[in-house]
Amino acid sequence: MGQIPSMAEENMTPSQSITLRIAKYNPEHDSAKKFMDFTITYERWTTVLEAILEVKKHFDHSIAVRYSCRQATCGSCGMIINGKPRLACFTKISELNSNVITVEPMNNFPIIRDLAVKFERLFDTHHKVKPYLIHDDTEITSDTKEFLQSPEELEQYIQFSNCIKCGLCNSACPTMATDSSFVGPQALAQAYRYVADSRDKGKDQRLKIIDDSHGIWRCHFAGSCSQVCPKGVDPAMGIQLLRGYMLGFRS
Amino acid sequence: MTNQDEHKEGIGGMINPRRYGIERVAYLLMRLSGLGLLAYFIGHIYETSSILKGEIGWNEFLEITQTTEGHAILAIVIAMCVFHTVNGIRVMLGHGGVGVGKPARPDYPYIPASQNIRHKMGIYSAIILAAIAMLYGLAVMFGE
Ligand code: HEM
Ligand code: SF4
Ligand code: FES
């Protein structure tokens, strides 16, 4: 029992307050984004998403924000936090080292309202690269139990299968900033994920899909996608490895 | 859909070099130096074509490069040339998948392997070599 008060004391840093600046915009009747400021208190562990929900609960119920898992798994809560795309549920206020936290809808995605953006195009480009195993004999015959894979073969793509389709990479990408037809780092990383899978036979099909005027060649290897990815996918690596196949540097 | 509806970041966001490290600075410098060299190349063809006007026309044109402004422009061209070539070699290697790291199970805090020290060194070398070449050029041109 004696331990409990001292532990509590250690964790009891007095709660501090910051200004949370939230972008408000309804494309149906607003001509431009407006910002609303709220003063909120936070603890060391408070996330930006929790702060936004706090504002919704006590000050402005109308703020539109999308979230679900609150643990960097569903990919719903991407937004621009202090200038960079981040997951609101995976970003602690304390790690931002700022007295003002500005949250805006993600760039390069059409705005639904306030912080919520449309994901249709992200999902379309994701689909376009055939994000599933392509195999002649998909039906398992009686003598094969499963498609075997060694741990080394797994290592080739497992990193890229971490993608949660949050779209942060597409929001940071400099090509996406001016070309909305670009297939984008998210889809290109997924093309690599399947091409690198030893069970997959769809390499030629996929390379053909991304060998397009708005395809892989629009990537300039600026690497911003990899810097913002919250799951360590490193799309820039996948894209360059993919291009390595196409240029004949790799087989 | 209009640009406003698409909420694209636009050219301002594309060229902003402040948010995503030295790699994004290199991206911007590569574009600027590429376009700068293209402009210089076109100007260069125009300039050298003045030889068709004979020796006098050629010499008159050449005098432009002897002015202070001419020296300054040439110094910038030297820097662009060196940066574009050295960084161009880095980018071409990267595009071929060279030096971008190996796929591996990622761990928090998820430092991306493609944004590694080899490529950063490549970028810093390109900038430093460009600066040295430019200073050398300036010393030669103004030191006459
Ligand atoms: C040895 C010399 C050169 C090398 C190694 C080189 C390499 C490259 C590379 C790899 C790119 C693509 C960069 C990217 O994907 O972001 C590029 C772009 C470009 N280069 Fe060069 N280049 C060289 C010389 C030149 C010259 C002499 C000119 C002009 C006449 C030039 C003009 C351009 C232009 C306009 C671009 C496009 C810029 C952009 O859209 O980002 N380059 N260069
Ligand atoms: S690659 Fe990373 S940043 Fe891009 S959608 Fe997937 S998880 Fe998000
Ligand atoms: S709420 Fe699911 S990723 Fe943030």
Side-chain angles (χ1 to χ4, degrees), chain B residues 36-48:
Chain B
L37 287 175
L38 189 63
Y40 176 76
F41 185 61
I42 293 167
H44 184 67
I45 294 191
Y46 178 74
E47 184 190 321
T48 47

Side-chain angles (χ1 to χ4, degrees), chain A residues 84-85 105-110 154-155 159 162 172 174 177 180 220 222-224 227 230 234 237 240 243-244 249, chain B residues 4-10 14 19-20 23-24 27 31 94-97 100 102-106 110 112-115:
Chain A
K84 282 192 203 175
M106 264 199 294
N107 295 311
N108 310 336
F109 288 89
L154 182 73
E155 287 286 309
Q159 169 172 20
N162 270 6
S180 40
H220 295 272
S224 313
Q227 294 178 24
D234 204 345
M237 183 206 286
Q240 311 324 312
R243 185 152 39 192
F249 278 58
Chain B
Q4 170 79 27
D5 291 341
E6 293 203 30
H7 195 229
K8 281 189 294 196
E9 217 178 1
M14 180 189 91
R19 293 170 298 178
Y20 304 109
E23 290 83 0
R24 193 72 172 247
Y27 165 83
R31 304 214 100 171
H95 281 185
V100 298
K102 269 216 288 279
R105 228 175 267 267
Y110 304 133
S114 69
Q115 311 294 290

Side-chain angles (χ1 to χ4, degrees), chain A residues 219-221, chain B residues 27 30-31 33-35 37-38 41 84-89 91-92 95:
Chain A
C219 166
H220 295 272
F221 190 28
Chain B
Y27 165 83
M30 191 66 185
R31 304 214 100 171
S33 60
L35 294 174
L37 287 175
L38 189 63
F41 185 61
H84 194 87
T85 306
V86 177
N87 190 57
I89 292 167
V91 169
M92 288 192 298
H95 281 185

Side-chain angles (χ1 to χ4, degrees), chain A residues 6-42:
Chain A
S6 69
M7 267 178 70
E9 253 164 55
E10 213 170 86
N11 287 332
M12 282 281 276
T13 41
S15 55
Q16 295 160 292
S17 72
I18 46 115
T19 304
L20 183 62
R21 179 166 292 165
I22 302 181
K24 294 278 286 171
Y25 174 66
N26 185 339
E28 274 174 22
H29 48 73
D30 298 343
S31 55
K33 248 186 249 171
K34 275 199 216 70
F35 285 94
M36 285 175 77
D37 287 2
F38 302 92
T39 303
I40 57 139
T41 57
Y42 71 99

Side-chain angles (χ1 to χ4, degrees), chain A residues 166-177:
Chain A
C166 62
L168 299 193
C169 50
N170 284 14
S171 184
C173 172
T175 301
M176 274 283 166

Side-chain angles (χ1 to χ4, degrees), chain A:
Chain A
M1 280 301 277
Q3 262 188 340
I4 292 164
S6 69
M7 267 178 70
E9 253 164 55
E10 213 170 86
N11 287 332
M12 282 281 276
T13 41
S15 55
Q16 295 160 292
S17 72
I18 46 115
T19 304
L20 183 62
R21 179 166 292 165
I22 302 181
K24 294 278 286 171
Y25 174 66
N26 185 339
E28 274 174 22
H29 48 73
D30 298 343
S31 55
K33 248 186 249 171
K34 275 199 216 70
F35 285 94
M36 285 175 77
D37 287 2
F38 302 92
T39 303
I40 57 139
T41 57
Y42 71 99
E43 307 291 342
R44 221 173 51 222
W45 51 84
T46 309
T47 65
V48 173
L49 181 63
E50 283 163 348
I52 294 169
L53 295 180
E54 200 61 15
V55 168
K56 263 177 89 70
K57 201 159 146 194
H58 298 295
F59 304 111
D60 185 353
H61 174 70
S62 75
I63 292 161
V65 57
R66 180 171 48 216
Y67 66 99
S68 175
C69 68
R70 308 185 192 209
Q71 51 172 18
T73 301
C74 72
S76 305
C77 68
M79 59 185 73
I80 305 287
I81 302 176
N82 283 4
K84 282 192 203 175
R86 310 178 211 249
L87 293 180
C89 71
F90 199 51
T91 307
K92 290 196 295 283
I93 287 174
S94 56
E95 79 191 63
L96 292 167
N97 295 321
S98 168
N99 292 326
V100 182
I101 311 263
T102 308
V103 291
E104 300 165 83
M106 264 199 294
N107 295 311
N108 310 336
F109 288 89
I111 300 174
I112 300 173
R113 196 156 63 77
D114 302 342
L115 303 171
V117 295
K118 289 188 187 148
F119 270 175
E120 277 83 349
R121 197 177 283 138
L122 176 81
F123 295 151
D124 280 353
T125 48
H126 177 67
H127 268 149
K128 200 170 142 188
V129 301
K130 301 185 186 279
Y132 39 80
L133 289 182
I134 298 175
H135 206 281
D136 302 331
D137 41 333
T138 5
E139 294 309 315
I140 293 172
T141 49
S142 52
D143 54 336
T144 48
K145 256 207 183 130
E146 54 204 332
F147 297 121
L148 290 177
Q149 198 161 48
S150 69
E152 291 74 31
E153 286 169 334
L154 182 73
E155 287 286 309
Q156 292 302 310
Y157 70 85
I158 189 75
Q159 169 172 20
F160 301 92
S161 66
N162 270 6
C163 175
I164 57 171
K165 289 110 201 147
C166 62
L168 299 193
C169 50
N170 284 14
S171 184
C173 172
T175 301
M176 274 283 166
T178 53
D179 177 11
S180 40
S181 311
F182 179 43
V183 57
Q186 188 279 332
L188 288 170
Q190 290 318 293
Y192 182 76
R193 180 252 173 271
Y194 288 94
V195 166
D197 191 319
S198 61
R199 299 163 297 177
D200 183 80
K201 299 281 174 282
K203 180 173 162 188
D204 295 342
Q205 284 184 42
R206 284 196 200 89
L207 295 191
K208 220 166 154 180
I209 293 166
I210 59 175
D211 182 9
D212 178 83
S213 59
H214 294 278
I216 190 167
W217 310 110
R218 295 245 165 167
C219 166
H220 295 272
F221 190 28
S224 313
C225 50
S226 300
Q227 294 178 24
V228 301
C229 178
K231 304 302 284 183
V233 171
D234 204 345
M237 183 206 286
I239 297 169
Q240 311 324 312
L241 295 178
L242 210 49
R243 185 152 39 192
Y245 292 135
M246 301 172 82
L247 294 171
F249 278 58
R250 304 161 53 85
S251 52

